[in-house]
Amino acid sequence: MEQRTIAFLGAGNMARSIITGLLQSGYPADKIIAVDRTPETSAAFRETYGVNANENAVETAKQADVVVLAVKPQDMATLLSSMQDVDWSNKLVVSIAAGISVARLSEMAGAPLKLVRVMPNTPSLVSEGMSGLYAPNSVSEDDRTFAGELLQAVGKVCWVSEEAGINAVIAAAGSAPAYFFRFMEAMQAEAERQGFDKATARLLVQQSALGAAKMVVANPDIELATLREQVTSKGGTTAEALNVFNNNQLSETVAEAMQAAVRRAEEMETLF
């Protein structure tokens, strides 16, 4: 991976996860700067990760080759409006803020940005993230490559050709961990009702989920439907359980939920 000075404006969980992934992959700590408004957080970053850290977003952005916008969406306008004297022309900007378009971010900054929008998800915190990326044609191939490698430090990536595709990434990956957590939560609750203690019920569910995911990853040429069928004996217990899901329109429910996520993402784009 090419070595550029990277500034993270915002030092929340996602910034921490990316920084951790970069350091674990051998990226030099002295090429990373983290900015947080709280001096205590900045000091903790320096001590924990060995990177540079401070509270001055404007001066940090001026020093950086790559600026990662990692503040909350509602704080983005205030941040970028304070940076009107930053020369963005030779900087790659990476935004991980949901609901703010490329055009709107450039408007906030008061200048056209060479910008890559990224939608990561929380498994990035354990280096198993799935991130969707979008860049307009104005972003060079070298910058696209760098942005992709930046997110590959915490998991897998895919590119979408249209900016609207980022909202579909939210539905299929960004919000998806919560879907699985909710399903696992319901399974654990029922296992407890059937007599298992809480710790054992969780172990049964989480290990089954982990094993199922690993089987999917280990068999990329086998359709998910085929993997399901391999577990399902005709007239057996699994078939009976799946009949309940089918009778309660699981596929339709999942589709409706994902469509709702897309609609909300589209609504959020009008808020900032």
PDB file of all heavy atoms in Angstrom, residues 35-58:
ATOM      1  N   VAL A  35      -7.741  13.282  14.898  1.00  0.00           N
ATOM      2  CA  VAL A  35      -8.226  14.539  15.467  1.00  0.00           C
ATOM      3  C   VAL A  35      -9.497  14.281  16.260  1.00  0.00           C
ATOM      4  O   VAL A  35     -10.440  13.671  15.760  1.00  0.00           O
ATOM      5  CB  VAL A  35      -8.519  15.577  14.365  1.00  0.00           C
ATOM      6  CG1 VAL A  35      -9.168  16.826  14.961  1.00  0.00           C
ATOM      7  CG2 VAL A  35      -7.239  15.951  13.632  1.00  0.00           C
ATOM      8  N   ASP A  36      -9.497  14.743  17.488  1.00  0.00           N
ATOM      9  CA  ASP A  36     -10.703  14.694  18.310  1.00  0.00           C
ATOM     10  C   ASP A  36     -10.774  15.996  19.096  1.00  0.00           C
ATOM     11  O   ASP A  36      -9.741  16.542  19.507  1.00  0.00           O
ATOM     12  CB  ASP A  36     -10.678  13.499  19.271  1.00  0.00           C
ATOM     13  CG  ASP A  36     -12.016  13.294  19.960  1.00  0.00           C
ATOM     14  OD1 ASP A  36     -12.861  12.579  19.410  1.00  0.00           O
ATOM     15  OD2 ASP A  36     -12.209  13.880  21.052  1.00  0.00           O
ATOM     16  N   ARG A  37     -11.979  16.488  19.301  1.00  0.00           N
ATOM     17  CA  ARG A  37     -12.136  17.773  19.995  1.00  0.00           C
ATOM     18  C   ARG A  37     -11.736  17.696  21.459  1.00  0.00           C
ATOM     19  O   ARG A  37     -11.477  18.707  22.090  1.00  0.00           O
ATOM     20  CB  ARG A  37     -13.587  18.240  19.874  1.00  0.00           C
ATOM     21  CG  ARG A  37     -13.991  18.654  18.478  1.00  0.00           C
ATOM     22  CD  ARG A  37     -15.458  19.022  18.395  1.00  0.00           C
ATOM     23  NE  ARG A  37     -16.327  17.887  18.668  1.00  0.00           N
ATOM     24  CZ  ARG A  37     -17.654  17.915  18.599  1.00  0.00           C
ATOM     25  NH1 ARG A  37     -18.263  19.039  18.265  1.00  0.00           N
ATOM     26  NH2 ARG A  37     -18.365  16.843  18.839  1.00  0.00           N
ATOM     27  N   THR A  38     -11.697  16.489  22.010  1.00  0.00           N
ATOM     28  CA  THR A  38     -11.411  16.311  23.426  1.00  0.00           C
ATOM     29  C   THR A  38      -9.925  16.011  23.638  1.00  0.00           C
ATOM     30  O   THR A  38      -9.421  15.007  23.119  1.00  0.00           O
ATOM     31  CB  THR A  38     -12.243  15.155  24.010  1.00  0.00           C
ATOM     32  OG1 THR A  38     -13.619  15.364  23.701  1.00  0.00           O
ATOM     33  CG2 THR A  38     -12.067  15.056  25.510  1.00  0.00           C
ATOM     34  N   PRO A  39      -9.206  16.829  24.381  1.00  0.00           N
ATOM     35  CA  PRO A  39      -7.778  16.577  24.606  1.00  0.00           C
ATOM     36  C   PRO A  39      -7.502  15.204  25.204  1.00  0.00           C
ATOM     37  O   PRO A  39      -6.506  14.564  24.865  1.00  0.00           O
ATOM     38  CB  PRO A  39      -7.366  17.702  25.561  1.00  0.00           C
ATOM     39  CG  PRO A  39      -8.352  18.800  25.303  1.00  0.00           C
ATOM     40  CD  PRO A  39      -9.636  18.104  24.985  1.00  0.00           C
ATOM     41  N   GLU A  40      -8.383  14.747  26.082  1.00  0.00           N
ATOM     42  CA  GLU A  40      -8.177  13.445  26.712  1.00  0.00           C
ATOM     43  C   GLU A  40      -8.221  12.315  25.683  1.00  0.00           C
ATOM     44  O   GLU A  40      -7.450  11.355  25.753  1.00  0.00           O
ATOM     45  CB  GLU A  40      -9.235  13.211  27.804  1.00  0.00           C
ATOM     46  CG  GLU A  40      -9.134  14.113  29.009  1.00  0.00           C
ATOM     47  CD  GLU A  40      -9.709  15.513  28.762  1.00  0.00           C
ATOM     48  OE1 GLU A  40     -10.363  15.709  27.709  1.00  0.00           O
ATOM     49  OE2 GLU A  40      -9.501  16.382  29.622  1.00  0.00           O
ATOM     50  N   THR A  41      -9.141  12.439  24.726  1.00  0.00           N
ATOM     51  CA  THR A  41      -9.229  11.422  23.681  1.00  0.00           C
ATOM     52  C   THR A  41      -8.001  11.444  22.794  1.00  0.00           C
ATOM     53  O   THR A  41      -7.455  10.393  22.428  1.00  0.00           O
ATOM     54  CB  THR A  41     -10.492  11.629  22.829  1.00  0.00           C
ATOM     55  OG1 THR A  41     -11.644  11.590  23.678  1.00  0.00           O
ATOM     56  CG2 THR A  41     -10.620  10.547  21.770  1.00  0.00           C
ATOM     57  N   SER A  42      -7.531  12.636  22.465  1.00  0.00           N
ATOM     58  CA  SER A  42      -6.317  12.753  21.654  1.00  0.00           C
ATOM     59  C   SER A  42      -5.126  12.124  22.365  1.00  0.00           C
ATOM     60  O   SER A  42      -4.341  11.385  21.765  1.00  0.00           O
ATOM     61  CB  SER A  42      -6.022  14.228  21.357  1.00  0.00           C
ATOM     62  OG  SER A  42      -7.030  14.802  20.576  1.00  0.00           O
ATOM     63  N   ALA A  43      -5.010  12.407  23.642  1.00  0.00           N
ATOM     64  CA  ALA A  43      -3.901  11.842  24.417  1.00  0.00           C
ATOM     65  C   ALA A  43      -3.994  10.323  24.470  1.00  0.00           C
ATOM     66  O   ALA A  43      -2.973   9.621  24.357  1.00  0.00           O
ATOM     67  CB  ALA A  43      -3.904  12.426  25.827  1.00  0.00           C
ATOM     68  N   ALA A  44      -5.221   9.813  24.613  1.00  0.00           N
ATOM     69  CA  ALA A  44      -5.404   8.360  24.655  1.00  0.00           C
ATOM     70  C   ALA A  44      -5.013   7.727  23.327  1.00  0.00           C
ATOM     71  O   ALA A  44      -4.441   6.630  23.282  1.00  0.00           O
ATOM     72  CB  ALA A  44      -6.853   8.032  25.003  1.00  0.00           C
ATOM     73  N   PHE A  45      -5.332   8.403  22.213  1.00  0.00           N
ATOM     74  CA  PHE A  45      -4.945   7.893  20.901  1.00  0.00           C
ATOM     75  C   PHE A  45      -3.429   7.788  20.782  1.00  0.00           C
ATOM     76  O   PHE A  45      -2.897   6.787  20.297  1.00  0.00           O
ATOM     77  CB  PHE A  45      -5.487   8.818  19.794  1.00  0.00           C
ATOM     78  CG  PHE A  45      -6.584   8.196  18.998  1.00  0.00           C
ATOM     79  CD1 PHE A  45      -7.896   8.272  19.423  1.00  0.00           C
ATOM     80  CD2 PHE A  45      -6.315   7.524  17.821  1.00  0.00           C
ATOM     81  CE1 PHE A  45      -8.916   7.700  18.683  1.00  0.00           C
ATOM     82  CE2 PHE A  45      -7.321   6.945  17.081  1.00  0.00           C
ATOM     83  CZ  PHE A  45      -8.631   7.027  17.516  1.00  0.00           C
ATOM     84  N   ARG A  46      -2.740   8.836  21.190  1.00  0.00           N
ATOM     85  CA  ARG A  46      -1.275   8.818  21.108  1.00  0.00           C
ATOM     86  C   ARG A  46      -0.699   7.679  21.937  1.00  0.00           C
ATOM     87  O   ARG A  46       0.202   6.961  21.502  1.00  0.00           O
ATOM     88  CB  ARG A  46      -0.710  10.162  21.594  1.00  0.00           C
ATOM     89  CG  ARG A  46      -0.906  11.307  20.619  1.00  0.00           C
ATOM     90  CD  ARG A  46      -0.076  12.511  21.027  1.00  0.00           C
ATOM     91  NE  ARG A  46      -0.500  13.067  22.303  1.00  0.00           N
ATOM     92  CZ  ARG A  46      -1.435  13.994  22.447  1.00  0.00           C
ATOM     93  NH1 ARG A  46      -2.048  14.480  21.386  1.00  0.00           N
ATOM     94  NH2 ARG A  46      -1.761  14.443  23.641  1.00  0.00           N
ATOM     95  N   GLU A  47      -1.252   7.515  23.132  1.00  0.00           N
ATOM     96  CA  GLU A  47      -0.717   6.499  24.043  1.00  0.00           C
ATOM     97  C   GLU A  47      -1.056   5.084  23.576  1.00  0.00           C
ATOM     98  O   GLU A  47      -0.214   4.178  23.624  1.00  0.00           O
ATOM     99  CB  GLU A  47      -1.274   6.726  25.453  1.00  0.00           C
ATOM    100  CG  GLU A  47      -0.745   5.741  26.485  1.00  0.00           C
ATOM    101  CD  GLU A  47      -1.242   6.051  27.880  1.00  0.00           C
ATOM    102  OE1 GLU A  47      -1.735   7.177  28.113  1.00  0.00           O
ATOM    103  OE2 GLU A  47      -1.153   5.160  28.749  1.00  0.00           O
ATOM    104  N   THR A  48      -2.274   4.878  23.119  1.00  0.00           N
ATOM    105  CA  THR A  48      -2.736   3.531  22.760  1.00  0.00           C
ATOM    106  C   THR A  48      -2.189   3.066  21.418  1.00  0.00           C
ATOM    107  O   THR A  48      -1.765   1.920  21.273  1.00  0.00           O
ATOM    108  CB  THR A  48      -4.271   3.484  22.721  1.00  0.00           C
ATOM    109  OG1 THR A  48      -4.787   3.893  23.995  1.00  0.00           O
ATOM    110  CG2 THR A  48      -4.763   2.078  22.398  1.00  0.00           C
ATOM    111  N   TYR A  49      -2.202   3.967  20.430  1.00  0.00           N
ATOM    112  CA  TYR A  49      -1.875   3.558  19.061  1.00  0.00           C
ATOM    113  C   TYR A  49      -0.511   4.041  18.575  1.00  0.00           C
ATOM    114  O   TYR A  49      -0.028   3.578  17.545  1.00  0.00           O
ATOM    115  CB  TYR A  49      -2.961   4.065  18.104  1.00  0.00           C
ATOM    116  CG  TYR A  49      -4.336   3.542  18.429  1.00  0.00           C
ATOM    117  CD1 TYR A  49      -5.263   4.336  19.094  1.00  0.00           C
ATOM    118  CD2 TYR A  49      -4.706   2.241  18.092  1.00  0.00           C
ATOM    119  CE1 TYR A  49      -6.524   3.862  19.409  1.00  0.00           C
ATOM    120  CE2 TYR A  49      -5.975   1.762  18.406  1.00  0.00           C
ATOM    121  CZ  TYR A  49      -6.882   2.575  19.057  1.00  0.00           C
ATOM    122  OH  TYR A  49      -8.126   2.095  19.369  1.00  0.00           O
ATOM    123  N   GLY A  50       0.080   5.006  19.283  1.00  0.00           N
ATOM    124  CA  GLY A  50       1.379   5.513  18.860  1.00  0.00           C
ATOM    125  C   GLY A  50       1.327   6.414  17.648  1.00  0.00           C
ATOM    126  O   GLY A  50       2.350   6.696  17.025  1.00  0.00           O
ATOM    127  N   VAL A  51       0.111   6.886  17.300  1.00  0.00           N
ATOM    128  CA  VAL A  51      -0.041   7.778  16.154  1.00  0.00           C
ATOM    129  C   VAL A  51      -0.015   9.220  16.635  1.00  0.00           C
ATOM    130  O   VAL A  51      -0.072   9.500  17.834  1.00  0.00           O
ATOM    131  CB  VAL A  51      -1.361   7.497  15.404  1.00  0.00           C
ATOM    132  CG1 VAL A  51      -1.410   6.057  14.925  1.00  0.00           C
ATOM    133  CG2 VAL A  51      -2.577   7.811  16.282  1.00  0.00           C
ATOM    134  N   ASN A  52       0.071  10.150  15.703  1.00  0.00           N
ATOM    135  CA  ASN A  52      -0.055  11.560  16.044  1.00  0.00           C
ATOM    136  C   ASN A  52      -1.520  11.868  16.322  1.00  0.00           C
ATOM    137  O   ASN A  52      -2.411  11.310  15.670  1.00  0.00           O
ATOM    138  CB  ASN A  52       0.445  12.428  14.894  1.00  0.00           C
ATOM    139  CG  ASN A  52       1.885  12.118  14.532  1.00  0.00           C
ATOM    140  OD1 ASN A  52       2.775  12.262  15.363  1.00  0.00           O
ATOM    141  ND2 ASN A  52       2.118  11.676  13.308  1.00  0.00           N
ATOM    142  N   ALA A  53      -1.777  12.771  17.258  1.00  0.00           N
ATOM    143  CA  ALA A  53      -3.154  13.122  17.583  1.00  0.00           C
ATOM    144  C   ALA A  53      -3.197  14.535  18.140  1.00  0.00           C
ATOM    145  O   ALA A  53      -2.283  14.965  18.854  1.00  0.00           O
ATOM    146  CB  ALA A  53      -3.746  12.141  18.587  1.00  0.00           C
ATOM    147  N   ASN A  54      -4.265  15.248  17.793  1.00  0.00           N
ATOM    148  CA  ASN A  54      -4.448  16.603  18.308  1.00  0.00           C
ATOM    149  C   ASN A  54      -5.903  17.001  18.188  1.00  0.00           C
ATOM    150  O   ASN A  54      -6.749  16.175  17.830  1.00  0.00           O
ATOM    151  CB  ASN A  54      -3.538  17.596  17.571  1.00  0.00           C
ATOM    152  CG  ASN A  54      -3.831  17.644  16.083  1.00  0.00           C
ATOM    153  OD1 ASN A  54      -4.934  18.018  15.666  1.00  0.00           O
ATOM    154  ND2 ASN A  54      -2.851  17.270  15.258  1.00  0.00           N
ATOM    155  N   GLU A  55      -6.198  18.266  18.477  1.00  0.00           N
ATOM    156  CA  GLU A  55      -7.577  18.738  18.430  1.00  0.00           C
ATOM    157  C   GLU A  55      -7.804  19.747  17.302  1.00  0.00           C
ATOM    158  O   GLU A  55      -8.893  20.315  17.197  1.00  0.00           O
ATOM    159  CB  GLU A  55      -7.956  19.406  19.772  1.00  0.00           C
ATOM    160  CG  GLU A  55      -7.855  18.482  20.979  1.00  0.00           C
ATOM    161  CD  GLU A  55      -6.441  18.446  21.557  1.00  0.00           C
ATOM    162  OE1 GLU A  55      -5.934  19.504  21.941  1.00  0.00           O
ATOM    163  OE2 GLU A  55      -5.858  17.342  21.586  1.00  0.00           O
ATOM    164  N   ASN A  56      -6.809  19.991  16.479  1.00  0.00           N
ATOM    165  CA  ASN A  56      -6.900  21.038  15.457  1.00  0.00           C
ATOM    166  C   ASN A  56      -7.167  20.429  14.082  1.00  0.00           C
ATOM    167  O   ASN A  56      -6.252  19.999  13.383  1.00  0.00           O
ATOM    168  CB  ASN A  56      -5.602  21.856  15.434  1.00  0.00           C
ATOM    169  CG  ASN A  56      -5.744  23.138  14.634  1.00  0.00           C
ATOM    170  OD1 ASN A  56      -6.391  23.164  13.591  1.00  0.00           O
ATOM    171  ND2 ASN A  56      -5.140  24.207  15.125  1.00  0.00           N
ATOM    172  N   ALA A  57      -8.437  20.403  13.686  1.00  0.00           N
ATOM    173  CA  ALA A  57      -8.817  19.764  12.423  1.00  0.00           C
ATOM    174  C   ALA A  57      -8.271  20.522  11.223  1.00  0.00           C
ATOM    175  O   ALA A  57      -7.833  19.907  10.244  1.00  0.00           O
ATOM    176  CB  ALA A  57     -10.336  19.658  12.337  1.00  0.00           C
ATOM    177  N   VAL A  58      -8.292  21.849  11.279  1.00  0.00           N
ATOM    178  CA  VAL A  58      -7.881  22.646  10.122  1.00  0.00           C
ATOM    179  C   VAL A  58      -6.405  22.438   9.814  1.00  0.00           C
ATOM    180  O   VAL A  58      -6.023  22.130   8.673  1.00  0.00           O
ATOM    181  CB  VAL A  58      -8.181  24.141  10.359  1.00  0.00           C
ATOM    182  CG1 VAL A  58      -7.644  24.974   9.197  1.00  0.00           C
ATOM    183  CG2 VAL A  58      -9.681  24.365  10.521  1.00  0.00           C
TER     184      VAL A  58
END
